[in-house]
Coordinates of all heavy atoms in Angstrom, one line a residue:
R850 N 69.8 5.1 -20.1 CA 70.6 4.0 -19.7 C 71.4 4.4 -18.4 O 72.1 5.4 -18.5 CB 71.5 3.6 -20.8 CG 72.4 2.5 -20.5 CD 73.2 2.1 -21.7 NE 74.5 2.7 -21.7 CZ 75.5 2.3 -22.4 NH1 75.3 1.3 -23.3 NH2 76.7 2.9 -22.3
P851 N 71.4 3.6 -17.4 CA 72.1 4.0 -16.2 C 73.6 3.9 -16.4 O 74.1 3.2 -17.2 CB 71.6 3.0 -15.1 CG 71.0 1.9 -15.9 CD 70.6 2.4 -17.2
V852 N 74.3 4.7 -15.6 CA 75.8 4.7 -15.6 C 76.2 4.1 -14.3 O 75.6 4.5 -13.2 CB 76.4 6.1 -15.9 CG1 77.9 6.1 -15.8 CG2 75.9 6.7 -17.2
Y853 N 77.2 3.2 -14.3 CA 77.7 2.6 -13.1 C 79.1 3.1 -12.7 O 79.8 3.5 -13.6 CB 77.7 1.1 -13.2 CG 76.2 0.6 -13.4 CD1 75.7 0.4 -14.7 CD2 75.4 0.4 -12.3 CE1 74.5 0.0 -14.9 CE2 74.1 0.0 -12.5 CZ 73.6 -0.2 -13.8 OH 72.3 -0.6 -14.0
Y854 N 79.4 3.1 -11.5 CA 80.7 3.7 -11.0 C 81.4 2.7 -10.1 O 80.8 1.9 -9.4 CB 80.4 5.0 -10.2 CG 79.8 6.0 -10.9 CD1 78.3 6.1 -11.0 CD2 80.5 7.0 -11.6 CE1 77.7 7.2 -11.7 CE2 79.9 8.0 -12.3 CZ 78.5 8.1 -12.4 OH 77.9 9.1 -13.1
G855 N 82.7 2.8 -10.1 CA 83.6 2.2 -9.1 C 84.3 3.3 -8.4 O 84.8 4.2 -9.2
V856 N 84.4 3.3 -7.2 CA 85.1 4.4 -6.4 C 86.1 3.8 -5.5 O 85.8 2.9 -4.6 CB 84.1 5.3 -5.6 CG1 84.9 6.4 -5.0 CG2 83.0 5.8 -6.5
H857 N 87.4 4.2 -5.6 CA 88.5 3.8 -4.7 C 88.6 4.9 -3.7 O 89.2 5.9 -4.0 CB 89.8 3.6 -5.4 CG 89.8 2.5 -6.4 ND1 89.6 2.8 -7.8 CD2 89.9 1.2 -6.3 CE1 89.7 1.6 -8.5 NE2 89.8 0.6 -7.6
L858 N 88.1 4.6 -2.4 CA 88.2 5.6 -1.4 C 89.4 5.4 -0.5 O 89.7 4.3 -0.1 CB 86.9 5.5 -0.5 CG 85.6 5.8 -1.3 CD1 84.4 5.1 -0.6 CD2 85.4 7.3 -1.4
P859 N 90.2 6.5 -0.3 CA 91.4 6.4 0.6 C 91.0 6.0 2.0 O 90.0 6.3 2.5 CB 92.0 7.8 0.5 CG 91.3 8.5 -0.6 CD 90.0 7.9 -0.8
C860 N 91.9 5.3 2.6 CA 91.8 4.9 4.0 C 92.9 5.5 4.8 O 93.9 6.0 4.3 CB 91.9 3.3 4.1 SG 90.5 2.4 3.3
E861 N 92.8 5.3 6.2 CA 93.9 5.7 7.0 C 95.1 4.9 6.8 O 96.3 5.4 6.9 CB 93.5 5.6 8.5 CG 92.5 6.6 8.9 CD 92.1 6.5 10.4 OE1 92.9 5.9 11.1 OE2 91.1 7.0 10.7
D862 N 95.0 3.6 6.4 CA 96.1 2.7 6.1 C 96.4 2.9 4.6 O 95.6 2.6 3.7 CB 95.7 1.3 6.3 CG 96.8 0.3 6.0 OD1 97.8 0.7 5.3 OD2 96.6 -0.9 6.3
P863 N 97.6 3.5 4.3 CA 97.9 3.8 2.9 C 98.1 2.5 2.0 O 98.1 2.7 0.8 CB 99.3 4.6 3.0 CG 99.9 4.2 4.3 CD 98.7 3.9 5.2
E864 N 98.1 1.4 2.6 CA 98.2 0.2 1.8 C 96.8 -0.4 1.4 O 96.7 -1.4 0.8 CB 99.0 -0.9 2.6 CG 100.4 -0.5 2.9 CD 101.2 -0.3 1.7 OE1 101.1 -1.2 0.7 OE2 102.0 0.7 1.6
R865 N 95.8 0.3 1.9 CA 94.4 -0.2 1.6 C 93.6 0.9 1.0 O 93.8 2.0 1.1 CB 93.7 -0.6 3.0 CG 94.3 -1.8 3.6 CD 93.5 -2.3 4.8 NE 92.1 -2.3 4.4 CZ 91.0 -2.0 5.2 NH1 91.2 -1.7 6.4 NH2 89.8 -2.0 4.8
V866 N 92.5 0.4 0.3 CA 91.4 1.4 -0.1 C 90.1 0.7 0.1 O 90.0 -0.6 0.2 CB 91.6 1.7 -1.7 CG1 92.8 2.5 -1.9 CG2 91.5 0.5 -2.5
D867 N 89.1 1.4 0.2 CA 87.7 0.9 0.2 C 87.3 1.0 -1.2 O 87.4 2.1 -1.8 CB 86.8 1.7 1.1 CG 87.0 1.4 2.6 OD1 87.5 0.3 2.9 OD2 86.7 2.2 3.4
Y868 N 86.6 0.0 -1.8 CA 86.1 0.0 -3.1 C 84.6 -0.1 -3.0 O 84.1 -1.0 -2.4 CB 86.7 -1.1 -4.0 CG 86.2 -1.0 -5.4 CD1 86.8 -0.2 -6.3 CD2 85.1 -1.8 -5.8 CE1 86.3 -0.1 -7.7 CE2 84.6 -1.8 -7.1 CZ 85.3 -0.9 -8.0 OH 84.8 -0.9 -9.3
L869 N 83.9 0.8 -3.6 CA 82.4 0.8 -3.7 C 82.1 0.8 -5.1 O 82.6 1.5 -5.9 CB 81.8 2.0 -3.0 CG 82.0 2.2 -1.5 CD1 81.4 3.5 -1.0 CD2 81.5 1.0 -0.7
A870 N 81.1 0.0 -5.4 CA 80.5 -0.1 -6.8 C 79.0 0.4 -6.6 O 78.4 0.1 -5.7 CB 80.6 -1.5 -7.3
G871 N 78.6 1.2 -7.6 CA 77.2 1.6 -7.5 C 76.8 2.5 -8.7 O 77.4 2.5 -9.7
M872 N 75.8 3.3 -8.4 CA 75.3 4.2 -9.4 C 74.9 5.5 -8.7 O 74.7 5.5 -7.5 CB 74.1 3.6 -10.2 CG 72.9 3.3 -9.4 SD 71.7 2.4 -10.4 CE 71.1 3.7 -11.5
A873 N 74.9 6.6 -9.5 CA 74.6 7.9 -9.0 C 73.1 8.0 -8.5 O 72.2 7.4 -9.2 CB 74.9 9.0 -9.9
V874 N 72.8 8.7 -7.4 CA 71.5 9.0 -7.0 C 71.5 10.5 -6.6 O 72.5 11.0 -6.4 CB 71.1 8.1 -5.8 CG1 71.0 6.7 -6.1 CG2 72.0 8.3 -4.6
P875 N 70.3 11.1 -6.7 CA 70.3 12.5 -6.3 C 70.8 12.8 -4.9 O 70.6 11.9 -4.0 CB 68.8 12.8 -6.4 CG 68.2 11.8 -7.3 CD 69.0 10.6 -7.1
A876 N 71.4 13.8 -4.7 CA 72.0 14.2 -3.3 C 70.9 14.1 -2.3 O 69.7 14.5 -2.5 CB 72.6 15.6 -3.4
G877 N 71.2 13.5 -1.2 CA 70.2 13.4 -0.1 C 69.4 12.2 -0.2 O 68.5 12.0 0.7
T878 N 69.5 11.4 -1.2 CA 68.7 10.2 -1.4 C 69.2 9.1 -0.5 O 70.4 8.8 -0.5 CB 68.7 9.7 -2.9 OG1 68.2 10.8 -3.7 CG2 67.8 8.5 -3.0
A879 N 68.3 8.5 0.3 CA 68.7 7.3 1.1 C 68.1 6.0 0.4 O 67.0 6.0 0.0 CB 68.1 7.4 2.5
V880 N 69.0 5.0 0.2 CA 68.6 3.8 -0.4 C 68.7 2.7 0.6 O 69.8 2.5 1.1 CB 69.4 3.5 -1.7 CG1 69.0 2.2 -2.3 CG2 69.4 4.6 -2.7
A881 N 67.6 2.1 0.9 CA 67.5 1.1 2.0 C 68.6 0.0 1.7 O 68.7 -0.5 0.6 CB 66.2 0.4 2.1
G882 N 69.4 -0.3 2.7 CA 70.4 -1.4 2.7 C 71.7 -1.0 1.9 O 72.5 -1.8 1.8
M883 N 71.8 0.2 1.5 CA 72.9 0.7 0.7 C 73.7 1.8 1.4 O 73.1 2.5 2.2 CB 72.5 1.2 -0.7 CG 71.8 0.2 -1.5 SD 73.1 -1.0 -2.0 CE 72.0 -2.2 -2.8
E884 N 75.0 1.9 1.2 CA 75.8 3.0 1.7 C 75.8 4.1 0.7 O 76.0 3.9 -0.5 CB 77.2 2.4 2.0 CG 78.1 3.4 2.6 CD 79.4 2.8 3.1 OE1 79.5 1.6 3.3 OE2 80.3 3.6 3.2
T885 N 75.7 5.3 1.2 CA 75.8 6.5 0.3 C 77.1 7.3 0.7 O 77.4 7.5 1.8 CB 74.6 7.4 0.4 OG1 73.4 6.7 0.2 CG2 74.6 8.6 -0.5
R886 N 77.8 7.6 -0.4 CA 79.1 8.4 -0.2 C 79.0 9.5 -1.1 O 78.7 9.4 -2.3 CB 80.3 7.6 -0.4 CG 80.5 6.4 0.5 CD 81.4 6.8 1.7 NE 81.7 5.6 2.5 CZ 82.9 5.1 2.6 NH1 83.9 5.6 1.9 NH2 83.0 4.0 3.3
A887 N 79.4 10.7 -0.7 CA 79.6 11.9 -1.7 C 81.0 11.9 -2.2 O 81.9 11.6 -1.4 CB 79.3 13.2 -0.9
V888 N 81.2 12.1 -3.5 CA 82.5 12.3 -4.0 C 82.8 13.7 -4.3 O 82.0 14.4 -5.0 CB 82.6 11.4 -5.4 CG1 83.9 11.6 -6.1 CG2 82.3 10.0 -5.1
P889 N 83.9 14.2 -3.7 CA 84.1 15.6 -3.9 C 84.4 16.1 -5.3 O 85.1 15.3 -6.0 CB 85.3 15.9 -2.9 CG 86.0 14.6 -2.8 CD 84.9 13.6 -3.0
A890 N 84.0 17.3 -5.6 CA 84.4 17.8 -7.0 C 85.8 18.2 -7.0 O 86.4 18.4 -6.0 CB 83.5 19.0 -7.3
G891 N 86.3 18.3 -8.2 CA 87.8 18.7 -8.3 C 88.2 18.4 -9.7 O 87.5 18.0 -10.6
R892 N 89.5 18.7 -9.9 CA 90.1 18.4 -11.2 C 90.6 17.0 -11.2 O 91.2 16.4 -10.3 CB 91.4 19.3 -11.4 CG 92.0 19.1 -12.7 CD 92.6 20.3 -13.4 NE 92.1 21.6 -13.1 CZ 91.7 22.4 -14.0 NH1 91.8 22.1 -15.2 NH2 91.2 23.6 -13.6
Y893 N 90.4 16.3 -12.4 CA 90.7 15.0 -12.6 C 91.5 14.8 -13.9 O 91.1 15.4 -14.9 CB 89.5 14.0 -12.6 CG 88.9 13.9 -11.3 CD1 88.0 14.8 -10.8 CD2 89.2 12.8 -10.5 CE1 87.4 14.6 -9.6 CE2 88.6 12.6 -9.3 CZ 87.7 13.5 -8.8 OH 87.1 13.4 -7.6
A894 N 92.4 13.9 -14.0 CA 93.0 13.4 -15.3 C 92.1 12.2 -15.7 O 91.8 11.4 -14.9 CB 94.4 13.0 -15.2
V895 N 91.7 12.2 -17.0 CA 90.8 11.1 -17.4 C 91.5 10.2 -18.4 O 92.1 10.6 -19.4 CB 89.5 11.7 -18.1 CG1 88.6 10.6 -18.5 CG2 88.9 12.7 -17.1
F896 N 91.4 8.9 -18.1 CA 92.0 7.8 -19.0 C 90.9 7.0 -19.5 O 90.0 6.6 -18.7 CB 93.0 7.1 -18.3 CG 94.2 7.9 -17.8 CD1 94.1 8.6 -16.6 CD2 95.4 8.0 -18.5 CE1 95.2 9.3 -16.1 CE2 96.4 8.8 -18.0 CZ 96.3 9.4 -16.9
T897 N 90.9 6.6 -20.8 CA 89.8 5.8 -21.3 C 90.3 4.5 -21.8 O 91.5 4.4 -22.2 CB 89.1 6.5 -22.5 OG1 90.1 6.8 -23.6 CG2 88.5 7.8 -22.1
G898 N 89.5 3.5 -21.8 CA 89.8 2.1 -22.2 C 88.6 1.3 -22.2 O 87.5 1.8 -22.3
T899 N 88.9 0.0 -21.9 CA 87.8 -1.0 -21.8 C 87.9 -1.7 -20.4 O 88.9 -1.6 -19.8 CB 87.8 -2.0 -22.9 OG1 89.1 -2.8 -22.7 CG2 87.8 -1.4 -24.3
I900 N 86.8 -2.4 -20.1 CA 86.9 -3.2 -18.8 C 88.1 -4.1 -18.8 O 88.8 -4.2 -17.8 CB 85.6 -3.9 -18.6 CG1 84.5 -2.8 -18.4 CG2 85.7 -4.8 -17.4 CD1 83.1 -3.4 -18.3
A901 N 88.4 -4.7 -20.0 CA 89.6 -5.6 -20.1 C 90.9 -4.9 -19.8 O 91.9 -5.6 -19.5 CB 89.5 -6.3 -21.4
T902 N 91.0 -3.6 -20.0 CA 92.2 -2.9 -19.9 C 92.4 -2.0 -18.7 O 93.4 -1.3 -18.5 CB 92.5 -2.0 -21.2 OG1 91.5 -0.9 -21.2 CG2 92.5 -2.8 -22.5
I903 N 91.5 -2.2 -17.7 CA 91.6 -1.4 -16.4 C 92.9 -1.6 -15.8 O 93.6 -0.6 -15.4 CB 90.4 -1.8 -15.5 CG1 89.1 -1.2 -16.0 CG2 90.8 -1.2 -14.1 CD1 87.9 -1.6 -15.2
G904 N 93.4 -2.8 -15.6 CA 94.7 -3.1 -15.0 C 95.8 -2.4 -15.7 O 96.7 -1.9 -15.0
Q905 N 95.8 -2.4 -16.9 CA 96.9 -1.8 -17.7 C 96.9 -0.3 -17.5 O 97.9 0.4 -17.5 CB 96.8 -2.1 -19.2 CG 97.0 -3.6 -19.5 CD 96.6 -3.9 -20.9 OE1 95.8 -3.2 -21.6 NE2 97.0 -5.1 -21.4
I906 N 95.6 0.3 -17.5 CA 95.5 1.8 -17.3 C 96.1 2.2 -15.9 O 96.9 3.1 -15.8 CB 94.0 2.2 -17.4 CG1 93.6 2.0 -18.9 CG2 93.9 3.7 -17.0 CD1 92.1 2.2 -19.0
Y907 N 95.7 1.4 -14.8 CA 96.3 1.8 -13.5 C 97.7 1.6 -13.5 O 98.5 2.4 -12.8 CB 95.5 1.0 -12.4 CG 94.2 1.6 -12.1 CD1 93.0 0.9 -12.3 CD2 94.1 2.8 -11.3 CE1 91.8 1.5 -12.0 CE2 92.9 3.3 -11.0 CZ 91.7 2.7 -11.3 OH 90.5 3.2 -10.9
A908 N 98.2 0.5 -14.1 CA 99.7 0.3 -14.1 C 100.4 1.5 -14.8 O 101.5 1.9 -14.3 CB 100.0 -1.0 -14.8
H909 N 99.8 2.0 -15.8 CA 100.4 3.1 -16.5 C 100.4 4.4 -15.6 O 101.4 5.1 -15.5 CB 99.6 3.4 -17.8 CG 100.0 4.7 -18.5 ND1 101.2 5.0 -19.1 CD2 99.2 5.9 -18.6 CE1 101.1 6.2 -19.5 NE2 100.0 6.8 -19.3
V910 N 99.2 4.7 -15.0 CA 99.1 5.9 -14.2 C 100.0 5.8 -13.0 O 100.7 6.8 -12.7 CB 97.6 6.0 -13.8 CG1 97.5 7.1 -12.7 CG2 96.7 6.3 -14.9
Y911 N 100.0 4.7 -12.3 CA 100.8 4.6 -11.0 C 102.2 4.1 -11.2 O 102.9 4.0 -10.2 CB 100.0 3.9 -9.9 CG 98.8 4.7 -9.5 CD1 97.5 4.3 -9.8 CD2 99.0 5.8 -8.7 CE1 96.4 5.1 -9.5 CE2 97.9 6.6 -8.3 CZ 96.6 6.2 -8.7 OH 95.5 7.0 -8.3
G912 N 102.5 3.7 -12.4 CA 103.8 3.1 -12.7 C 104.7 4.0 -13.5 O 105.8 3.6 -13.8
G913 N 104.3 5.2 -13.8 CA 105.2 6.0 -14.6 C 104.6 7.3 -15.2 O 105.3 8.1 -15.7
W914 N 103.3 7.4 -15.3 CA 102.7 8.5 -15.8 C 103.0 9.8 -15.0 O 103.2 9.7 -13.8 CB 101.1 8.4 -15.8 CG 100.4 9.6 -16.3 CD1 100.3 10.0 -17.6 CD2 99.6 10.5 -15.5 NE1 99.5 11.2 -17.6 CE2 99.1 11.4 -16.3 CE3 99.3 10.5 -14.1 CZ2 98.3 12.5 -15.9 CZ3 98.6 11.6 -13.7 CH2 98.1 12.6 -14.5
T915 N 103.2 10.9 -15.7 CA 103.6 12.1 -15.0 C 102.4 13.1 -15.2 O 102.0 13.3 -16.4 CB 104.9 12.7 -15.6 OG1 105.9 11.7 -15.5 CG2 105.3 14.0 -14.9
A916 N 101.9 13.6 -14.2 CA 100.9 14.6 -14.2 C 101.4 15.9 -15.0 O 102.6 16.1 -15.0 CB 100.4 15.0 -12.8
P917 N 100.5 16.7 -15.6 CA 100.9 17.9 -16.2 C 101.6 18.9 -15.2 O 101.4 18.8 -14.0 CB 99.6 18.5 -16.7 CG 98.6 17.4 -16.7 CD 99.1 16.4 -15.6
A918 N 102.4 19.7 -15.8 CA 103.1 20.7 -14.9 C 102.2 21.5 -14.1 O 101.2 21.9 -14.5 CB 103.9 21.7 -15.9
G919 N 102.6 21.6 -12.8 CA 101.8 22.3 -11.9 C 100.7 21.5 -11.2 O 99.9 21.9 -10.3
W920 N 100.7 20.2 -11.5 CA 99.7 19.3 -10.9 C 100.3 18.0 -10.4 O 101.4 17.6 -10.9 CB 98.6 18.9 -12.0 CG 97.8 20.1 -12.4 CD1 98.1 20.9 -13.5 CD2 96.7 20.7 -11.8 NE1 97.2 21.9 -13.6 CE2 96.3 21.8 -12.6 CE3 96.0 20.3 -10.6 CZ2 95.2 22.6 -12.2 CZ3 94.9 21.1 -10.3 CH2 94.5 22.2 -11.1
A921 N 99.7 17.4 -9.4 CA 100.1 16.1 -8.9 C 98.9 15.2 -8.5 O 97.8 15.8 -8.3 CB 101.0 16.3 -7.6
I922 N 99.0 13.9 -8.5 CA 97.9 13.1 -8.1 C 97.6 13.4 -6.6 O 98.5 13.6 -5.8 CB 98.3 11.6 -8.2 CG1 98.5 11.2 -9.7 CG2 97.2 10.7 -7.5 CD1 99.0 9.8 -10.0
D923 N 96.3 13.5 -6.3 CA 95.9 13.9 -5.0 C 95.5 12.5 -4.3 O 94.4 12.0 -4.5 CB 94.7 14.8 -5.1 CG 94.2 15.3 -3.7 OD1 94.7 14.7 -2.6 OD2 93.4 16.2 -3.6
P924 N 96.3 12.1 -3.3 CA 95.9 10.8 -2.7 C 94.8 10.9 -1.7 O 94.4 9.9 -1.1 CB 97.3 10.4 -2.0 CG 98.0 11.7 -1.8 CD 97.6 12.6 -2.9
T925 N 94.4 12.1 -1.4 CA 93.3 12.3 -0.4 C 92.0 12.2 -1.0 O 90.9 12.1 -0.2 CB 93.5 13.6 0.4 OG1 93.2 14.7 -0.5 CG2 94.8 13.8 1.0
R926 N 91.8 12.1 -2.3 CA 90.6 12.0 -3.0 C 90.4 10.7 -3.7 O 91.4 10.2 -4.1 CB 90.4 13.2 -3.9 CG 90.3 14.5 -3.1 CD 90.0 15.8 -4.0 NE 89.5 15.6 -5.3 CZ 90.1 16.0 -6.4 NH1 91.2 16.6 -6.4 NH2 89.5 15.8 -7.6
P927 N 89.2 10.2 -4.0 CA 89.1 9.0 -4.6 C 89.3 9.0 -6.1 O 89.1 9.9 -6.8 CB 87.6 8.6 -4.3 CG 86.9 9.9 -4.2 CD 88.0 10.8 -3.5
D928 N 89.9 7.8 -6.6 CA 89.9 7.5 -8.0 C 88.4 7.1 -8.4 O 87.8 6.4 -7.6 CB 90.8 6.3 -8.4 CG 92.2 6.6 -8.1 OD1 92.6 7.7 -7.8 OD2 93.0 5.6 -8.2
L929 N 88.0 7.4 -9.6 CA 86.7 6.9 -10.1 C 86.7 6.1 -11.3 O 87.6 6.4 -12.2 CB 85.8 8.1 -10.3 CG 85.6 9.2 -9.3 CD1 84.9 10.4 -9.8 CD2 84.9 8.7 -8.1
E930 N 85.9 5.1 -11.4 CA 85.7 4.4 -12.7 C 84.3 4.6 -13.1 O 83.4 4.4 -12.3 CB 86.0 2.9 -12.4 CG 87.4 2.6 -12.0 CD 87.6 1.2 -11.4 OE1 86.6 0.5 -11.3 OE2 88.7 0.9 -11.0
V931 N 84.1 5.0 -14.4 CA 82.8 5.2 -14.9 C 82.6 4.1 -16.1 O 83.4 4.1 -17.1 CB 82.6 6.6 -15.5 CG1 81.2 6.8 -16.1 CG2 82.9 7.6 -14.4
Y932 N 81.6 3.3 -15.9 CA 81.4 2.2 -16.8 C 80.3 2.5 -17.8 O 79.2 2.8 -17.4 CB 81.0 0.9 -16.1 CG 82.1 0.4 -15.1 CD1 82.1 0.8 -13.8 CD2 83.2 -0.3 -15.6 CE1 83.2 0.3 -13.0 CE2 84.2 -0.8 -14.8 CZ 84.2 -0.4 -13.5 OH 85.2 -0.8 -12.7
G933 N 80.6 2.4 -19.1 CA 79.6 2.7 -20.1 C 79.1 1.5 -20.8 O 78.4 1.7 -21.8
G934 N 79.5 0.3 -20.5 CA 79.0 -0.9 -21.1 C 79.4 -2.1 -20.3 O 80.2 -2.0 -19.4
A935 N 78.9 -3.2 -20.8 CA 79.2 -4.5 -20.1 C 80.1 -5.4 -20.9 O 80.4 -5.1 -22.0 CB 77.9 -5.2 -19.9
G936 N 80.7 -6.3 -20.2 CA 81.6 -7.3 -20.9 C 83.0 -6.7 -21.0 O 83.2 -5.5 -20.8
P937 N 84.0 -7.5 -21.4 CA 85.4 -7.1 -21.4 C 85.6 -5.9 -22.4 O 86.5 -5.1 -22.1 CB 86.1 -8.3 -21.9 CG 85.2 -9.5 -21.9 CD 83.8 -8.9 -21.8
E938 N 84.8 -5.8 -23.4 CA 85.0 -4.6 -24.3 C 84.2 -3.4 -24.0 O 84.1 -2.4 -24.7 CB 84.8 -5.1 -25.8 CG 85.7 -6.1 -26.2 CD 87.2 -5.7 -26.0 OE1 87.6 -4.6 -26.3 OE2 87.9 -6.6 -25.4
G939 N 83.4 -3.4 -22.8 CA 82.7 -2.3 -22.4 C 83.6 -1.1 -22.1 O 84.7 -1.3 -21.6
A940 N 83.1 0.1 -22.4 CA 83.9 1.3 -22.2 C 84.0 1.6 -20.8 O 83.1 1.4 -20.0 CB 83.3 2.4 -22.9
V941 N 85.2 2.1 -20.4 CA 85.4 2.6 -19.0 C 86.3 3.9 -19.1 O 87.1 4.0 -19.9 CB 86.1 1.5 -18.1 CG1 87.5 1.2 -18.6 CG2 86.1 1.9 -16.7
E942 N 86.0 4.8 -18.2 CA 86.7 6.0 -18.0 C 87.3 6.0 -16.6 O 86.5 5.7 -15.7 CB 85.9 7.3 -18.2 CG 85.5 7.5 -19.6 CD 84.6 8.7 -19.7 OE1 83.9 9.2 -18.8 OE2 84.6 9.3 -20.8
I943 N 88.6 6.2 -16.4 CA 89.2 6.2 -15.1 C 89.6 7.7 -14.8 O 90.3 8.3 -15.6 CB 90.3 5.3 -15.0 CG1 89.9 3.9 -15.2 CG2 91.1 5.5 -13.6 CD1 90.9 2.8 -15.2
Y944 N 89.1 8.2 -13.7 CA 89.3 9.6 -13.3 C 90.3 9.6 -12.2 O 90.1 9.0 -11.1 CB 88.0 10.3 -12.8 CG 87.1 10.6 -13.9 CD1 86.4 9.6 -14.6 CD2 86.9 11.9 -14.3 CE1 85.5 9.8 -15.6 CE2 85.9 12.2 -15.3 CZ 85.3 11.2 -16.0 OH 84.4 11.4 -17.0
I945 N 91.5 10.2 -12.3 CA 92.5 10.3 -11.3 C 92.5 11.7 -10.8 O 92.7 12.7 -11.5 CB 93.9 9.9 -12.0 CG1 93.9 8.6 -12.6 CG2 95.0 10.0 -10.9 CD1 93.6 7.4 -11.7
P946 N 92.3 11.8 -9.4 CA 92.2 13.2 -8.8 C 93.5 13.9 -8.8 O 94.6 13.3 -8.6 CB 91.8 12.9 -7.4 CG 92.3 11.5 -7.1 CD 92.2 10.8 -8.4
L947 N 93.5 15.2 -9.2 CA 94.7 16.0 -9.2 C 94.6 17.2 -8.2 O 93.5 17.6 -7.9 CB 94.9 16.6 -10.6 CG 95.1 15.5 -11.8 CD1 95.2 16.3 -13.1 CD2 96.3 14.7 -11.5
K948 N 95.7 17.6 -7.8 CA 95.8 18.8 -7.0 C 96.9 19.8 -7.5 O 97.9 19.3 -8.1 CB 96.1 18.5 -5.5 CG 97.5 17.8 -5.3 CD 97.7 17.5 -3.8 CE 99.0 16.8 -3.6 NZ 99.2 16.5 -2.2
A949 N 96.7 21.0 -7.4 CA 97.6 22.0 -7.8 C 98.9 22.0 -6.9 O 98.7 21.9 -5.7 CB 97.1 23.4 -7.9
V950 N 100.1 22.1 -7.5 CA 101.3 22.1 -6.7 C 102.2 23.3 -7.2 O 102.1 23.7 -8.4 CB 102.1 20.8 -6.7 CG1 101.3 19.7 -6.1 CG2 102.4 20.4 -8.2
S951 N 102.9 23.8 -6.3 CA 103.9 24.9 -6.8 C 105.3 24.3 -6.9 O 105.7 23.4 -6.1 CB 103.8 26.1 -5.8 OG 104.1 25.7 -4.5
H952 N 106.0 24.8 -7.8 CA 107.3 24.2 -8.1 C 108.4 25.2 -7.6 O 108.3 26.3 -7.7 CB 107.6 23.9 -9.5 CG 106.7 22.8 -10.0 ND1 107.0 21.5 -9.7 CD2 105.6 22.8 -10.7 CE1 106.1 20.7 -10.2 NE2 105.2 21.4 -10.8

């Protein structure tokens, strides 16, 4: 069964993001009429829920969640959504990029 993704890519304008929806393809694969972007590897905090609760998850993360000690949200890397099902009750995982920080 294919897995689908949503990716929030940072822009030069901090008030905007580019959102791409798609699925994984092998590195170097060109798909006619489609845009291909590589998502950098790194450490992520993972939040789980359903498609119906995506807004609540993002409100929690960006409205008061605190990253673990020694880590902060990395605004230079994309947030990822991984969809495991369809409909409002379909499973979703949200990956929030983290970077190491010194205190």
Side-chain angles (χ1 to χ4, degrees):
R850 177 174 100 162
V852 175
Y853 298 95
Y854 299 89
V856 182
H857 297 100
L858 297 155
C860 296
E861 289 181 21
D862 179 350
E864 298 297 316
R865 292 190 45 215
V866 297
D867 284 335
Y868 182 83
L869 296 178
M872 59 188 293
V874 297
T878 301
V880 180
M883 299 289 173
E884 184 172 338
T885 303
R886 300 263 187 112
V888 176
R892 181 147 333 230
Y893 290 84
V895 181
F896 299 83
T897 60
T899 65
I900 292 171
T902 63
I903 287 175
Q905 294 168 343
I906 295 168
Y907 278 111
H909 168 71
V910 170
Y911 290 107
W914 175 73
T915 303
W920 296 94
I922 294 174
D923 185 350
T925 67
R926 293 186 17 241
D928 296 352
L929 306 171
E930 298 165 357
V931 180
Y932 298 95
E938 296 309 312
V941 65
E942 293 178 332
I943 296 177
Y944 289 71
I945 304 297
L947 299 176
K948 64 180 177 180
V950 294
S951 56
H952 293 281

